[in-house]
Amino acid sequence: MNPLFTARTSVEQVEEGLFLAPKFDCNGLIPVVTTDFNTGEVLMHAYMNEEALVKTIETGEAHYYSRSRQQLWHKGQSSGLVQKVAQLTIDDDQDCLWMQVIIAGSGASCHVGYRSCFYRRIPTGKSAVSSQQPLQLTFTETEKTFDPKAVYGDTPNPTQL
């Protein structure tokens, strides 16, 4: 275990204690919800492994673990859209992180070019399901903040089918 973390010894210690005792899942990952520090907008959901969490704490810049690439990922390293950590918090049972960031450049966090990775809305309610047809998504962002081809070139797209 990393010396920055403490062992999980009791529910009280995990929920009310003063020391970081993150619970990584069976794959060694912990989920992270990333929001814009100034607006509160949800930008992305990702995962960190122990190395990514430690690097984020050490550098004050977001590091994640890419499940598709199976490697550490310094957000913004190739795009220049670095996420500076304004605040990093952990939930009650220390198995999920909330990171509030300030983003360099255009302020985008999505590799598709949108500001947020959550750029499409899913319809809800009886009218959404009455036709029993595939649901049509509605774009909540109408313009990309950057051109992914210009930024990433021939780098393989991380989206997996």
Side-chain angles (χ1 to χ4, degrees):
M1 179 186 322
N2 190 287
L4 299 178
F5 309 149
T6 193
R8 298 169 64 87
T9 57
S10 72
V11 170
E12 181 181 9
Q13 172 257 343
V14 169
E15 293 180 346
E16 302 285 344
L18 296 176
F19 296 101
L20 182 58
K23 182 177 183 182
F24 297 93
D25 68 14
C26 62
N27 296 310
L29 303 174
I30 189 168
V32 186
V33 176
T34 304
T35 62
D36 183 286
F37 178 70
N38 294 312
T39 68
E41 177 184 17
V42 176
L43 299 171
M44 58 185 284
H45 168 268
Y47 293 89
M48 289 183 181
N49 62 5
E50 183 177 301
E51 181 183 10
L53 179 53
V54 169
K55 285 225 179 258
T56 297
I57 293 167
E58 285 176 346
T59 65
E61 295 182 353
H63 289 73
Y64 301 99
Y65 182 77
S66 171
R67 295 177 303 158
S68 59
R69 292 183 225 119
Q70 298 286 299
Q71 65 183 23
L72 188 69
W73 159 38
H74 180 193
K75 182 68 174 159
Q77 183 176 23
S78 53
S79 68
L81 303 171
V82 173
Q83 294 178 340
K84 298 277 188 187
V85 179
Q87 185 166 294
L88 180 61
T89 57
I90 196 158
D91 74 339
D92 53 359
D93 55 352
Q94 298 201 43
D95 67 353
C96 185
L97 300 164
W98 174 21
M99 187 162 50
Q100 297 173 60
V101 298
I102 298 168
I103 310 159
S106 69
S109 286
C110 180
H111 76 277
V112 179
Y114 295 102
R115 177 170 166 70
S116 169
C117 293
F118 295 92
Y119 54 87
R120 293 173 292 179
R121 184 174 53 245
I122 301 170
T124 58
K126 289 182 182 179
S127 63
V129 298
S130 63
S131 70
Q132 294 297 301
Q133 297 292 318
L135 296 176
Q136 183 172 338
L137 304 174
T138 302
F139 278 77
T140 58
E141 292 187 41
T142 57
E143 293 184 28
K144 294 186 178 189
T145 62
F146 69 93
D147 176 6
K149 289 248 187 253
V151 171
Y152 299 116
D154 294 331
T155 302
N157 189 313
T159 299
Q160 302 290 307
L161 298 181

